Amino acid sequence: MERRLKLIWDFRGPTAKHTAYHHEIHLKEYILAEKLSINITGSVDISEMHSIAYLVVVDSEMKRVRDALKPHRGQLYEE
């Protein structure tokens, strides 16, 4: 099984929660359009003024997705 990576987009400010949730919708659309092998996404509130949206990809798809979507950061995905 390939290594899984979590690509993360950070959103800050009073609208961070809504923006992260909305961004996740577009990540799900991207998964379907590009036929990615994993369909794990999410949005998490870090604080009142900081939320994230994320997409999990396998190592072999990472560069293509990273170059197209420009995440702010990434990390290994652990369930």
Side-chain angles (χ1 to χ4, degrees), residues 12-58:
R12 299 180 190 275
T15 61
K17 181 177 187 168
H18 175 73
T19 305
Y21 175 78
H22 184 78
H23 193 73
E24 182 187 1
I25 293 169
H26 292 295
L27 293 174
K28 289 177 181 181
E29 292 170 347
Y30 183 83
I31 289 169
L32 293 174
E34 297 297 319
K35 299 179 176 82
L36 298 182
S37 60
I38 298 178
N39 64 351
I40 300 171
T41 64
S43 61
V44 177
D45 300 326
I46 306 301
S47 71
E48 258 185 57
M49 302 290 277
H50 182 202
S51 296
I52 65 168
Y54 66 87
L55 165 66
V56 177
V57 296
V58 292

